[in-house]
């Protein structure tokens, strides 16, 4: 396995945990998956990790966030993920935003925007809608540059392959 390509020095807990999500995105990159990674933190420790596995599992729902939410629910033995924070390297899509709302995750932190599918305002904004049972605190742009760089590098590599 190639070593993680970024030398990052976190200055906050959000940056510290985002590095863990970036490491998951790197795993996706190495597996030839769209490089999006996620971790869920509960009371100061990572309880779940995941990365995109859409191609590997042949499943359009196998996004990093979805797999990580499932893993976290198993770790806590509860589908309600209270007192957790989801860190993901890309703005969640509408499917993942729905799962975040339904699983009651109170906070998400993400890196790069997703102009095609982002559900925090890049395409639609599901988190700004008043929800009858739950609201989510959202912070974007944490380690946005390495998150976007990994995606850009991946898609350049994919385009180069298709031109051969």
């Amino acid at each position: 396995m190639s070593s993680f390509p970024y030398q990052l020095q976190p200055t906050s807990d959000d940056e510290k945990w985002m590095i863990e999500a970036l490491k998951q995105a790197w795993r996706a990159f190495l597996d030839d998956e769209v490089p999006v990674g996620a971790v869920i933190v509960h009371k100061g420790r990572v309880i779940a990790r995941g990365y995109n596995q859409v191609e590997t599992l042949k499943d359009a729902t196998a996004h990093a966030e979805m797999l990580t939410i499932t893993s976290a629910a198993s770790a806590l033995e509860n589908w309600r993920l209270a007192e957790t924070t989801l860190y993901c390297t890309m703005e969640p899509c509408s499917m993942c935003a729905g799962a975040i709302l339904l699983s009651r995750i109170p906070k998400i932190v993400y890196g790069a925007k997703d102009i095609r599918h982002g559900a925090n305002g890049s395409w639609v904004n599901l988190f700004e809608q008043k929800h009858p049972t739950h609201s989510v605190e959202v912070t974007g742009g944490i380690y946005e540059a390495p998150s976007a760089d990994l995606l850009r590098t991946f898609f350049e590599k994919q385009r180069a392959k298709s031109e051969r």
Side-chain angles (χ1 to χ4, degrees):
M1 180 185 232
S2 298
S3 62
F4 184 66
Y6 303 103
Q7 298 297 317
L8 303 168
Q9 298 300 319
T11 60
S12 68
D13 282 346
D14 283 348
E15 289 180 354
K16 172 184 161 182
W17 299 124
M18 185 60 77
I19 290 170
E20 295 303 311
L22 278 162
K23 288 177 181 176
Q24 293 300 302
W26 180 240
R27 288 185 68 184
F29 183 91
L30 294 175
D31 283 353
D32 223 17
E33 293 276 358
V34 175
V36 177
V39 298
I40 292 181
V41 174
H42 178 257
K43 297 184 178 179
R45 70 179 189 86
V46 174
I47 61 164
R49 302 171 188 274
Y51 59 93
N52 269 4
Q53 295 186 54
V54 171
E55 299 300 329
T56 301
L57 298 176
K58 308 289 186 256
D59 179 355
T61 69
H63 288 193
E65 301 94 327
M66 300 294 284
L67 297 171
T68 306
I69 288 168
T70 298
S71 181
S74 180
L76 293 179
E77 297 181 344
N78 194 336
W79 63 267
R80 291 178 187 89
L81 300 178
E83 300 180 41
T84 64
T85 301
L86 170 68
Y87 292 87
C88 49
T89 58
M90 190 162 73
E91 176 183 2
C93 70
S94 57
M95 173 183 67
C96 295
I100 289 163
L101 287 164
L102 289 169
S103 62
R104 310 297 198 271
I105 295 172
K107 180 179 178 186
I108 64 167
V109 177
Y110 69 88
K113 292 180 183 201
D114 181 356
I115 59 171
R116 287 195 270 178
H117 303 287
N120 187 54
S122 294
W123 176 57
V124 297
N125 197 336
L126 296 180
F127 297 116
E128 78 177 354
Q129 301 298 316
K130 182 162 175 39
H131 191 272
T133 62
H134 185 60
S135 63
V136 179
E137 177 188 338
V138 181
T139 302
I142 303 296
Y143 283 137
E144 182 174 11
S147 297
D149 178 65
L150 197 52
L151 288 158
R152 185 173 34 261
T153 303
F154 173 81
F155 285 111
E156 286 171 357
K157 182 178 132 188
Q158 295 303 108
R159 281 191 291 279
K161 271 194 222 176
S162 68
E163 292 172 1
R164 290 184 196 155

